[in-house]
Amino acid sequence: MHLVSVPAEPYAFEFYPATAALLVIDMQRDFVEPGGFGAMLGNDVTPLRRAIAPTRRVLDAARRIGIMVVHTREGHRPDLSDLPPAKKARGRLKTGIGDQGPMGRVLVRGERGHDIVPELAPVPGEPVVDKPGKGAFYATDLETILRCRGIKSLLVAGVTTEVCVHTTVREANDRGFECLVLEDCVASYFPEFHEAGIKMIKAQGGIFGWVSSSAALLQALEKAGDAGAP
Ligand code: C5J
């Protein structure tokens, strides 16, 4: 098993593929596709869609090499019993969480908008963690899943940079996981929030983790040769 060293900020990120997981956060139609919840809130989904292709390249490499892949989705039970009233009320929206939108009920499990975009669809064997909050560790079994597989390092992709990605990276960091955030595989509706969110992760010696790119990761994996071969 080879150590992979990825050029990153604030310094190289080192991991063993056997103890790493690619975490793809909330790449759902509701956030990423025109007509979804994000778009209904008045956002342009273009910046989020730019993260699909590089994430797909990393996903393909992870699958080829045998790096564990975990997907998350933000959403709620159809009876909304796990939807805090404060979250439901937030924004005073005409069409909010649980209401009928163009892709079914907004952020409700089983609805079309809640699905992961087809380009990044999970394959059998890849856990999908449904989460009611922004952080992927809150009220989910993600930590159990990662600990059972001996995972120590997380390669992070998904949306949005300053919301679910940031919250999850902070949660992971507090639990002792080392996170490499792939700058071009995460995205925000707001470029300035993306930029600030990325800066915050790597500031102060990597206070929440490391930042690099999909190209740098893929090159490092190639350099490591058969990295990850069991
Ligand atoms: C948001 C997310 N932005 N996945 N969710 O509400 O970042």
Side-chain angles (χ1 to χ4, degrees):
M1 187 173 62
H2 296 256
L3 182 70
V4 180
S5 180
V6 187
E9 291 184 279
Y11 52 89
F13 181 79
E14 297 186 329
F15 70 98
Y16 290 101
T19 56
L22 170 63
L23 188 60
V24 186
I25 299 173
D26 300 2
M27 290 300 285
Q28 299 162 250
R29 290 196 171 102
D30 258 335
F31 295 122
V32 176
E33 289 195 350
F37 185 45
M40 279 164 55
L41 293 174
N43 298 305
D44 174 10
V45 298
T46 311
L48 271 60
R49 297 197 62 76
R50 276 190 216 118
I52 295 175
T55 301
R56 178 57 195 257
R57 288 192 283 276
V58 173
L59 192 54
D60 288 344
R63 285 171 179 162
R64 197 169 53 244
I65 290 165
I67 292 175
M68 184 187 196
V69 177
V70 181
H71 305 260
T72 73
R73 297 184 295 203
E74 179 179 350
H76 297 275
R77 295 168 183 261
D79 65 3
L80 305 183
S81 55
D82 60 352
L83 175 61
K87 186 175 179 184
K88 170 73 180 159
R90 193 72 47 82
R92 298 178 176 168
L93 304 172
K94 218 172 109 208
T95 307
I97 297 172
D99 298 333
Q100 197 65 38
M103 293 193 196
R105 293 176 70 206
V106 171
L107 289 188
V108 169
R109 296 174 192 166
E111 301 287 334
R112 182 175 158 76
H114 182 261
D115 267 352
I116 292 170
V117 293
E119 298 93 321
L120 304 175
V123 299
E126 295 176 353
V128 179
V129 174
D130 283 328
K131 62 190 187 63
K134 305 304 182 202
F137 289 86
Y138 171 68
T140 73
D141 54 4
L142 176 60
E143 185 168 1
T144 305
I145 291 171
L146 297 176
R147 301 267 185 232
C148 284
R149 286 282 296 265
I151 300 299
K152 295 178 179 1
S153 312
L154 298 177
L155 313 171
V156 182
V159 296
T160 60
T161 311
E162 76 282 12
V163 185
C164 292
V165 171
H166 235 270
T167 308
T168 300
V169 166
R170 288 167 186 238
E171 289 180 328
N173 181 63
D174 280 347
R175 286 164 173 78
F177 294 98
E178 296 201 316
C179 295
L180 176 67
V181 177
L182 300 167
E183 195 166 358
D184 52 332
C185 297
V186 300
S188 169
Y189 301 115
F190 309 96
E192 66 276 25
F193 291 171
H194 173 80
E195 203 181 313
I198 290 292
K199 276 187 187 157
M200 279 185 225
I201 288 163
K202 63 187 177 185
Q204 302 179 76
I207 195 141
F208 297 126
W210 286 256
V211 174
S212 189
S213 66
S214 60
L217 171 65
L218 294 173
Q219 212 167 29
L221 287 169
E222 205 171 310
K223 200 168 152 197
D226 60 345

